[in-house]
Amino acid sequence: MKKMWSPWRSRHIASTTRQSDEERAELFERIARSDDDEANYVVYRGKTAFVVMNLYPYNNGHLLIVPFRRVEHYDALTDEEQVEIARLTDRCIRWLRRALSPDGFNVGMNLGSAGGAGVPEHLHVHVVPRWNGDTNFMATVSDVKVIPESMDRTYHKLLAAVQEVE
């Protein structure tokens, strides 16, 4: 049986399955323009980039650091964007430690379609909290990943951590 309950994903799935390639490419730009951070799970807005929760997380608290402007190639980022993205990576790690107490992290980028990017036209950095023993039998036997906490609950934990750390 491969049934998992994750109701927060249905809104995103419904919206992306009806989108063209260009509409999907504009995903981060729409989020950046929106003033409803809670509905979009935006955790933090900087000067050149923002932090948003991934709607298809590998684990609870999976964050994306996204430049406000659409940039496909890392070497097309300005110096200011590169510096802010690096500093936001540090902040995300500190916020996640405070909010979720992970044992480690995966941090990186999937650049281009061949590199596995879900939105190849707009680069973003993944910051994924990891816990010892977080791979369980579900992933091994059923090719299913269990996310044990709702997006809303994790979002509010992260907001509290941002306030405490900043």
Side-chain angles (χ1 to χ4, degrees):
M1 172 176 11
K2 289 187 177 185
K3 294 182 182 175
M4 297 302 299
W5 176 249
S6 54
W8 63 88
R9 294 176 71 156
S10 64
R11 177 174 45 123
H12 182 65
I13 292 167
S15 69
T16 58
T17 55
R18 292 186 297 264
Q19 292 177 341
S20 68
D21 289 345
E22 179 59 22
E23 287 170 325
R24 274 190 297 278
E26 292 176 351
L27 167 68
F28 295 130
E29 292 162 274
R30 286 193 309 274
I31 292 170
R33 284 191 307 265
S34 174
D35 60 358
D36 194 347
D37 285 352
E38 186 168 0
N40 291 299
Y41 297 109
V42 174
V43 174
Y44 182 86
R45 289 178 180 270
K47 184 176 177 186
T48 67
F50 64 99
V51 177
V52 62
M53 291 176 64
N54 188 337
L55 288 178
Y56 285 103
Y58 294 112
N59 277 331
N60 284 88
H62 180 165
L63 299 176
L64 304 174
I65 303 166
V66 186
F68 283 116
R69 70 182 183 98
R70 188 191 301 189
V71 179
E72 184 173 355
H73 304 287
Y74 185 81
D75 55 0
L77 290 168
T78 66
D79 289 345
E80 184 178 24
E81 288 167 330
Q82 286 184 358
V83 168
E84 183 163 38
I85 288 169
R87 288 184 175 152
L88 284 173
T89 301
D90 173 72
R91 286 173 144 172
C92 287
I93 290 169
R94 288 188 285 127
W95 300 334
L96 288 163
R97 276 192 184 127
R98 173 74 66 141
L100 303 176
S101 303
D103 298 311
F105 298 90
N106 291 124
V107 177
M109 289 184 265
N110 301 322
L111 300 174
S113 295
V119 184
E121 301 84 3
H122 199 144
L123 73 79
H124 48 283
V125 176
H126 294 259
V127 181
V128 184
R130 300 299 303 264
W131 291 267
N132 292 326
D134 71 359
T135 313
N136 61 37
F137 76 94
M138 293 293 287
T140 306
V141 205
S142 302
D143 195 29
V144 172
K145 180 70 176 171
V146 177
I147 305 295
E149 184 173 74
S150 77
M151 295 283 289
D152 290 336
R153 183 171 169 89
T154 303
Y155 177 74
H156 289 289
K157 283 182 178 180
L158 283 165
L159 287 183
V162 170
Q163 290 178 347
E164 290 172 15
V165 171
E166 299 300 315

